[in-house]
Amino acid sequence: MSNELITIRPAKPEDAAAAVPLIYSSGPAAWDYVFNEGNISAHDFLIQSFQGTKNTFSYKNHYLAEKKGEVVGSIVIFRSENFFFQNAATAGNIFRIYKLRAPKVAVRGLSMEGMIQPPKSGRLYLGHIAVPEKERRQGIAEKLMKFAVSAYPAYDKISLDVSQENPNAQGLYKKLGFEIVEARNFAGPKGLVPNHYYMEANRSSF
């Protein structure tokens, strides 16, 4: 199937049901570690956050790939200049949603930030890059990434994090010019969340 049938558009609040499972699939172990608490699941938290407007997981930061009216890919774009405020809104969401259990979630979130860190100054940061299994190997993820880079021409350096246990994603990113800058280890309970690589690419490689 040709990827010419793929269109990319900004996400909308009503995309939550289609987009959140994709976002979750970008790192299930990490999402579960931080956001499963009491009777609230990571999926519950992501649905509410996606439909909000100011937090890091908001639909406003996401773009979706669509084929024949069906969502077949997701990507999030972060920039250092507004990330602090979005992160503060995410913290507010945690306390609003989890209430008395929020401090436990917040502490786990901070431990995760030691590995998957906020975007560095001057970098365009890409994340939540996900495509359903049946739609893979059609160039959808690559198309999403190229779209994201072209949408923000002011950035010469592009960055992302990838699981050390995901060789397919690493292969795609290396093909697009990304190089491993740093190996980062998960600070929580051993074996619960994969260690990650932090990678960067020059805009010129796109």
Side-chain angles (χ1 to χ4, degrees), residues 8 43 146 169:
I8 297 172
H43 184 271
K146 287 181 172 176

Side-chain angles (χ1 to χ4, degrees), residues 172-184:
L172 168 63
Y173 304 154
K174 286 174 179 173
K175 177 185 151 194
L176 290 172
F178 283 88
E179 294 179 354
I180 295 170
V181 175
E182 192 181 343
R184 295 174 177 166

Side-chain angles (χ1 to χ4, degrees), residues 24-46:
Y24 174 80
S25 77
S26 69
W31 291 118
D32 286 346
Y33 170 70
V34 177
F35 295 111
N36 279 357
E37 182 60 44
N39 61 1
I40 299 170
S41 69
H43 184 271
D44 297 331
F45 177 78
L46 283 169

Side-chain angles (χ1 to χ4, degrees), residues 23 31 35 45-46 48-63 75-79 82-94 113 117-119 125 127-128:
I23 294 166
W31 291 118
F35 295 111
F45 177 78
L46 283 169
Q48 290 195 54
S49 298
F50 184 86
Q51 292 174 324
T53 56
K54 296 186 168 74
N55 70 87
T56 46
F57 309 131
S58 166
Y59 71 91
K60 289 198 162 190
N61 298 323
H62 285 85
Y63 288 86
I75 194 166
V76 72
I77 302 170
F78 293 139
R79 296 169 292 141
N82 58 7
F83 189 82
F84 174 83
F85 300 103
Q86 293 176 347
N87 221 19
T90 297
N93 273 2
I94 289 171
E113 274 196 8
Q117 298 175 11
Y125 182 88
H128 306 174

Side-chain angles (χ1 to χ4, degrees), residues 63-84:
Y63 288 86
L64 302 176
E66 207 171 48
K67 183 171 80 173
K68 296 180 179 172
E70 183 187 351
V71 172
V72 292
S74 71
I75 194 166
V76 72
I77 302 170
F78 293 139
R79 296 169 292 141
S80 61
E81 55 265 38
N82 58 7
F83 189 82
F84 174 83

